[in-house]
Amino acid sequence: MKFEVEIAPLDLGLTLGCGQTFRFKAQLDGAWSGVLGEHHLVLRQIGTRIEGTASPGGKNVDELVLDLLRAKDDIDKIQRALGRDKVLAPGIRSMRGLRIVKLDEWECLISYVLATYANIPRIMKMVEALASGFGRRIERGAYSFPERKTLARASVNELRRCGLGYRAEYVRAICDTVDEDALARMCRMTYANLRKSLIEIPGVGDKVADCVSLFGFGKLEAFPIDVWIERALARLYRQRGSYRRLMEFAAERFGEYAGYAQEYLYHNERMLAHENVCVFSEK
DNA sequence: GCCCAGGAGTGTG
DNA sequence: CACACTCATGGG
């Protein structure tokens, strides 16, 4: 079935392709294909419109897409706030279309535990292997992300065969200890308490807790620090040190929209490394 | 072949 | 607190 939504500003390719979600792939014709909930989507941006087709499944696809892309975020307000930072100010406008995504909490938790010490193509492959091995078949080659009770039936060895390596045992432990009620409780927590709860989960440390807070639970003040962000903070702000120290710097400097600042810095730093272009510079 | 990846867990100073 | 070491493995 067809769907169409209006979201502005939005750069669909930047948002789906910058490593927040691991389930969408660019097509040769510029469209994006991926799985959202129980739907397989093919979506395409035409100006401020997003249109595409979704496999049937009952749910309102318009709302699912609006939620995924956080259509209600006031990007102008966010950019005005972050634009007071002199390092970010010159470049953020060119990334107005980069939006934080809102993922399913369970899928986000597992995906970012898999993401530890792996690169994005490999993470996508691991998630795909879990989905095709233990998820529901949606249509040709498309599988939903496995729910907890289904994934819980997988042995550690089966998980390893999905390419997870040592991450297999974390996934196993999470299936046994984090149920739907626990996730529902976490949905109602403040960022500070959510973060503490997440870090108690096997395989979840500072960085994964912040990714899951940001992309899974929608806490825009979360600021995940990976190797790219470490480089960006060192290069642009002369800030180095422990996770805790850098986290406090980010909270002080970027405030309630630190998550957006993080995504801008992350994207910029990767562009600098891979394409040798960037929009931010020191001072 | 080499280097690195959206790190976490554990032990030590 | 901060640091050092180990953990497996595939992608560029």
Side-chain angles (χ1 to χ4, degrees):
Chain A
M1 55 192 190
K2 293 186 181 304
F3 67 90
E4 179 177 336
V5 297
E6 184 98 12
I7 303 174
L10 171 66
D11 185 327
L12 183 67
L14 195 50
T15 301
L16 294 182
C18 70
Q20 300 183 65
T21 169
F22 305 111
R23 297 231 68 189
F24 287 87
K25 288 181 183 169
Q27 311 283 81
L28 292 175
D29 63 0
W32 286 79
S33 167
V35 175
L36 179 59
E38 299 299 316
H39 298 271
H40 174 228
L41 303 183
V42 177
L43 52 175
R44 174 187 312 279
Q45 176 165 22
I46 300 163
T48 61
R49 262 184 17 251
I50 304 300
E51 60 175 50
T53 58
S55 58
K59 291 215 177 177
N60 184 332
V61 177
D62 289 9
E63 279 184 27
L64 291 177
V65 173
L66 290 171
D67 287 345
L68 170 70
L69 299 172
R70 296 188 59 112
K72 283 186 276 192
D73 280 353
D74 185 344
I75 300 296
D76 287 335
K77 179 180 177 185
I78 291 167
Q79 292 227 328
R80 272 199 303 278
L82 294 177
R84 283 179 288 170
D85 184 283
K86 294 309 175 195
V87 173
L88 294 181
I92 51 176
R93 196 174 166 72
S94 68
M95 289 188 272
R96 280 180 77 234
L98 172 54
R99 308 182 77 99
I100 301 288
V101 298
K102 170 65 177 74
L103 307 176
D104 172 78
E105 295 85 1
W106 171 252
E107 175 171 348
C108 185
L109 171 62
I110 298 296
S111 298
Y112 277 91
V113 167
L114 300 186
T116 62
Y117 211 52
N119 55 26
I120 291 174
R122 186 180 173 192
I123 300 162
M124 296 179 75
K125 204 169 176 181
M126 288 190 277
V127 172
E128 179 61 35
L130 278 191
S132 59
F134 305 99
R136 258 194 297 280
R137 181 190 168 91
I138 299 173
E139 54 183 28
R140 53 182 193 287
Y143 297 81
S144 65
F145 191 86
E147 49 187 296
R148 184 184 69 90
K149 68 178 184 191
T150 316
L151 197 55
R153 289 201 286 270
S155 69
V156 172
N157 277 335
E158 286 178 298
L159 295 173
R160 280 184 181 276
R161 266 178 255 131
C162 290
L164 304 199
Y166 64 91
R167 305 164 192 83
E169 292 178 26
Y170 293 145
V171 172
R172 171 103 296 278
I174 293 173
C175 286
D176 294 338
T177 57
V178 181
D179 62 14
E180 291 72 13
D181 287 343
L183 291 176
R185 281 194 296 277
M186 286 191 261
C187 284
R188 287 182 258 107
M189 292 182 184
T190 64
Y191 167 56
N193 287 329
L194 172 63
R195 194 173 193 286
K196 286 180 197 165
S197 299
L198 286 170
I199 285 179
E200 292 177 8
I201 295 173
V204 178
D206 288 313
K207 191 268 179 179
V208 171
D210 283 328
C211 284
V212 177
S213 295
L214 180 57
F215 307 127
F217 290 87
K219 301 299 187 188
L220 291 187
E221 66 267 48
F223 187 87
I225 301 166
D226 68 347
V227 292
W228 297 101
I229 294 298
E230 277 183 8
R231 287 171 201 157
L233 293 178
R235 188 171 68 81
L236 298 169
Y237 297 95
R238 305 299 174 201
Q239 294 294 316
R240 302 165 202 278
S242 65
Y243 197 99
R244 176 186 178 79
R245 183 180 143 66
L246 295 177
M247 188 174 88
E248 287 170 355
F249 172 80
E252 166 73 21
R253 185 116 185 176
F254 306 123
E256 61 180 326
Y257 302 125
Y260 267 93
Q262 189 271 3
E263 211 54 32
Y264 295 148
L265 290 168
Y266 177 77
H267 176 63
N268 182 67
E269 204 64 22
R270 286 167 55 91
M271 290 287 288
L272 178 61
H274 298 306
E275 319 277 342
N276 201 29
V277 291
C278 64
V279 296
F280 301 140
S281 58
E282 54 275 52
K283 281 280 162 34

